[in-house]
Amino acid sequence: MTRTRSSRGAMLVALLASIMPLQGTAAQGVQAQKPQRGETAETPNDLGAVAAEAQAKLQQTFTNLRFEDFGPAPIEGPIYQAIAGGKIIYFAPQSEHLLFATVYDRNGVNLTALAQEQGAARRLKAIDPARALAIGPADAPTVIEFTDPDCPYCQALDRFWKAKAAEGKPVRRLIFFVSSIHPTAAAKAEHILCSPDREAAFQAAYSGQTPPLLRQCAAGRDKVADDAELVAKVGVSGTPTLIADGKLISGFQQAELEAFLDRHAKPALTKAASEARR
């Protein structure tokens, strides 16, 4: 996870932000204390006492963590939450800091991930499955897959799906192409979409084969452009990105995909076992 200026500053801000209550889409941060009428500004000793109290609070709240260093962060004023490119970011307008951080509450719940999943669920409504390139049996468990023919992890994922199909665990893949990462991805995606047998062309491309002449057609070109617009709307920033059982999965997360297949395989296996006993 990238952090601004220093990892300890971002870590402290994330921890402090998690302690403060979230208000709407804003995570209210720690405000600098201004002296009231008749009071004077805090002295260095007062500031030292405040820091010591904050450090003690940090250690009491997160007892399973060890902290080697502690000090003031450069952030001032409230911290607000926003979504950019499908990712949660935090902004402190008073000190003009942008934070790429992960906020946890005292129970270890990843509040950033929860907010990202909620935002993704809203954006997923923009996906029309009927506009996807469908690969795999119509009666198999379905995943939505944002992919790139030149992405090595996408190619590894394709090999994984083939291996699982050979084990009797096929999936139906609803494919949308991401063409903004690799320079030849758009041309290869258009070639697949313009081919008479699009599934065969897809499998050839993802096995690393490049034909001497890439097919072109207006329909394929328009579909690649439509996919690019959808990718921007949904906020997909990397490949592969999958949606399985309504959950967004970033990257080739084999354990999660194995669990997805097992969830859908168990009813079928139970039914087969029951019929075998009759």
Side-chain angles (χ1 to χ4, degrees):
M1 184 68 68
T2 304
R3 299 187 173 98
T4 54
R5 295 196 181 178
S6 68
S7 58
R8 66 184 184 186
M11 181 178 179
L12 177 59
V13 170
L15 292 171
L16 291 177
S18 70
I19 296 170
M20 304 303 291
L22 295 178
Q23 300 178 352
T25 57
Q28 187 72 27
V30 178
Q31 304 238 21
Q33 297 295 320
K34 296 181 180 179
Q36 302 296 321
R37 183 176 298 177
E39 296 180 352
T40 60
E42 292 174 315
T43 65
N45 286 339
D46 293 331
L47 291 174
V50 170
E53 183 180 351
Q55 184 175 13
K57 177 70 173 179
L58 179 64
Q59 293 170 336
Q60 292 167 7
T61 305
F62 299 93
T63 55
N64 60 327
L65 297 178
R66 294 183 60 187
F67 302 97
E68 290 79 26
D69 198 4
F70 186 90
I75 312 302
E76 297 177 6
I79 302 171
Y80 294 90
Q81 179 177 294
I83 297 178
K87 302 295 184 182
I88 299 293
I89 62 171
Y90 300 96
F91 178 57
Q94 184 171 324
S95 56
E96 298 184 337
H97 285 97
L98 191 66
L99 290 86
F100 296 86
T102 303
V103 177
Y104 293 87
D105 69 9
R106 64 183 302 157
N107 297 314
V109 176
N110 187 331
L111 300 180
T112 301
L114 288 178
Q116 188 164 322
E117 287 180 8
Q118 292 167 358
R122 292 191 298 269
R123 296 192 302 278
L124 295 184
K125 295 179 181 179
I127 300 174
D128 181 1
R131 297 184 62 81
L133 168 62
I135 294 177
D139 59 347
T142 300
V143 296
I144 296 173
E145 186 175 328
F146 290 89
T147 185
D148 171 347
D150 286 331
C151 162
Y153 296 103
C154 300
Q155 295 171 1
L157 175 62
D158 185 65
R159 293 192 294 272
F160 169 79
W161 290 135
K162 289 177 182 175
K164 291 298 154 182
E167 295 175 10
K169 298 179 180 180
V171 294
R172 184 163 181 81
R173 302 159 67 186
L174 301 182
I175 300 293
F176 294 95
F177 289 106
V178 178
S179 55
S180 59
I181 299 175
H182 295 98
T184 62
K188 290 182 179 180
E190 183 179 345
H191 167 79
I192 293 168
L193 295 165
C194 296
S195 296
D197 187 339
R198 297 192 295 178
E199 183 166 350
F202 181 94
Q203 300 296 355
Y206 279 73
S207 64
Q209 300 176 36
T210 302
L213 182 64
L214 294 174
R215 293 177 180 271
Q216 296 179 321
C217 64
R221 200 157 40 248
D222 291 344
K223 180 63 168 65
V224 170
D226 288 346
D227 284 5
E229 185 177 339
L230 178 63
V231 164
K233 187 179 296 184
V234 175
V236 172
S237 58
T239 53
T241 295
L242 301 101
I243 301 162
D245 288 340
K247 181 181 179 182
L248 189 71
I249 302 174
S250 297
F252 178 14
Q253 306 293 337
Q254 184 168 336
E256 289 192 55
L257 298 179
E258 293 273 12
F260 165 77
L261 292 172
D262 288 343
R263 283 195 301 273
H264 289 273
K266 286 176 181 177
L269 293 174
T270 301
K271 181 180 179 182
S274 175
E275 292 177 348
R277 287 194 296 268
R278 291 177 184 175

